[in-house]
């Protein structure tokens, strides 16, 4: 039987994973919004509007042109007031020693504010141990990129399988995957977050591919939908779209649990 988010919240070894699933259940939202804009004020404005409808905010902090520490103070305040967690989509991809520095230091000091970050597994297991040195004492969580939504992605087959095997060895820090589908059995608990979700278009001009919330959650067994331009793009009504994706994601979850008819 498919477990509820609340039931799964009890199982995770990692504190961040537990808190995220509790938040999903509390807010009845499995929506992560990806806000890829380049100005502080625009980012904060969108986050303030969508905050009530999301469980997780995904950032690309390195695209912000006027980044400063005040942005982090404000994002953290919004995360408290609207009750969501923060995922910096840094996609680390280097040797352990380097990623530990990139995670903790430099201008962004990602480990000091992002509850969750992610990494490619191309460098091998050292990338996880390097990031864990910094993130574990802070109770942070790591996602591994096991698959990608973009056309022609090389993260398939044995690469994806090897990524899952690495995650299994580090369950206290690796909380799950970026992937298009559930990759492990029901007896293991990893969070699956799926990007490339959109209700209106099937892709963009640069290789992105979109699927519906129903497809990723009901058919593919994913846990969290990541939606970017479908919510804030092209003069859209951000609040209306956030509610629309939250509702679609939650309905898909209820369908997966068998509480709604899948028709
Ligand atoms: O495979 C991936 C992995 C990620 S994290 N495909 C993705 O699109 N992403 C991220 O999800 C990407 O970096 C972007 O921030 C977001 C998708 O944005 P959208 O505007 O296409 O919905």
């Amino acid at each position: 039987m498919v477990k509820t988010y609340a039931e799964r919240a009890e199982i995770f070894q990692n504190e961040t994973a537990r808190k995220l699933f509790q938040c999903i259940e509390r807010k009845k939202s499995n929506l992560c919004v990806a806000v890829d804009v380049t100005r502080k004020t625009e980012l904060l404005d969108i986050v303030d509007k969508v905050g009530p409808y999301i469980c997780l905010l995904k950032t690309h902090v390195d695209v912000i042109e006027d980044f400063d520490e005040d942005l982090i103070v404000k994002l953290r305040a919004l995360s408290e007031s609207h009750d969501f967690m923060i995922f910096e989509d840094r996609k680390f991809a280097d040797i352990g020693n380097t990623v530990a520095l990139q995670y903790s230091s430099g201008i962004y000091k990602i480990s000091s504010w992002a509850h969750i970050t992610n990494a490619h597994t191309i460098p091998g297991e050292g990338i996880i141990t390097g990031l864990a040195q910094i993130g574990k004492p802070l109770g942070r969580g790591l996602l591994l990129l096991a698959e990608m939504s973009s056309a022609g992605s090389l993260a398939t087959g044995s690469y994806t399988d090897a990524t899952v095997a690495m995650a299994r060895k580090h369950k206290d820090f690796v909380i799950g995957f970026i992937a298009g589908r559930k990759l492990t059995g029901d007896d293991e608990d990893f969070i699956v977050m799926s990007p490339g979700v959109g209700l209106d278009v099937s892709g963009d001009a640069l290789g992105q591919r979109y699927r519906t919330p129903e497809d990723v959650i009901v058919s593919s067994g994913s846990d969290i939908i990541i939606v970017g331009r479908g919510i804030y793009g092209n003069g859209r009504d951000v609040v209306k779209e956030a509610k629309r994706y939250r509702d679609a994601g939650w309905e898909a979850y209820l369908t997966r649990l068998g509480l709604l008819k899948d028709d």
Side-chain angles (χ1 to χ4, degrees), residues 1-14 17-19 21-22 24-25 175-176 182 184-186 188-192 221-224 253 256-257:
M1 234 185 54
V2 183
K3 291 196 188 77
T4 62
Y5 291 119
E7 285 165 345
R8 290 172 58 194
E10 306 297 314
I11 299 169
F12 288 109
Q13 290 178 32
N14 180 286
R18 279 199 302 275
K19 284 189 177 156
F21 269 41
Q22 286 160 1
I24 292 175
E25 190 71 43
I175 60 172
K182 186 172 163 67
T184 55
D186 284 339
E188 296 184 82
D189 222 46
F190 288 113
I191 305 171
V192 176
S222 170
D223 299 310
I224 291 180
Y253 162 67
R256 182 167 143 206
L257 286 180

Side-chain angles (χ1 to χ4, degrees), residues 44-45 72 81 86 101 142 149 152 225 229 253 257:
L44 291 168
D45 178 57
I72 299 305
S81 63
I86 305 177
L101 290 167
L142 181 71
S149 62
I225 53 171
R229 287 163 289 176
Y253 162 67
L257 286 180

Side-chain angles (χ1 to χ4, degrees), residues 34 36 58 60 89 91 148-149 178 195 208 210 227-229:
D36 297 339
K58 188 175 83 57
H60 278 301
D89 183 6
K91 294 189 180 73
M148 292 199 71
S149 62
I178 296 290
Q208 178 65 298
Y210 292 114
V227 185
R229 287 163 289 176

Side-chain angles (χ1 to χ4, degrees), residues 15 20 30 64 67 69 86 110 126 133 139 141 143 165 182 237:
E15 180 189 333
L20 179 61
N30 53 23
I64 306 291
F67 175 87
E69 277 180 32
I86 305 177
I110 293 165
Q133 270 181 12
L143 298 168
K182 186 172 163 67
D237 178 336

Side-chain angles (χ1 to χ4, degrees), residues 186-219:
D186 284 339
D187 51 326
E188 296 184 82
D189 222 46
F190 288 113
I191 305 171
V192 176
M193 302 195 192
S194 295
V197 172
L199 285 164
D200 304 317
V201 288
S202 61
D204 69 9
L206 299 173
Q208 178 65 298
R209 295 176 297 187
Y210 292 114
R211 299 159 65 203
T212 64
E214 187 182 0
D215 188 14
V216 298
I217 291 191
V218 185
S219 313

Side-chain angles (χ1 to χ4, degrees), residues 93-209:
D94 212 322
I95 60 165
N97 185 62
T98 303
V99 295
L101 290 167
Q102 289 170 326
Y103 188 24
S104 62
S105 308
I107 297 170
Y108 303 121
K109 300 177 182 38
I110 293 165
S111 62
S112 73
W113 52 270
H115 304 104
I116 297 170
T117 191
N118 57 356
H120 288 292
T121 50
I122 191 106
E125 210 176 321
I127 192 166
I128 302 175
T129 41
L131 292 169
Q133 270 181 12
I134 305 295
K136 247 173 68 173
L138 298 168
R140 305 302 190 204
L142 181 71
L143 298 168
L144 299 180
L145 285 124
E147 293 180 329
M148 292 199 71
S149 62
S150 39
S153 162
L154 302 179
T156 59
S158 59
Y159 182 90
T160 303
D161 294 344
T163 301
V164 173
M166 281 191 213
R168 287 188 176 124
K169 290 172 76 177
H170 298 272
K171 283 196 89 162
D172 49 350
F173 185 50
V174 176
I175 60 172
F177 307 101
I178 296 290
R181 63 198 161 97
K182 186 172 163 67
L183 296 169
T184 55
D186 284 339
D187 51 326
E188 296 184 82
D189 222 46
F190 288 113
I191 305 171
V192 176
M193 302 195 192
S194 295
V197 172
L199 285 164
D200 304 317
V201 288
S202 61
D204 69 9
L206 299 173
Q208 178 65 298
R209 295 176 297 187

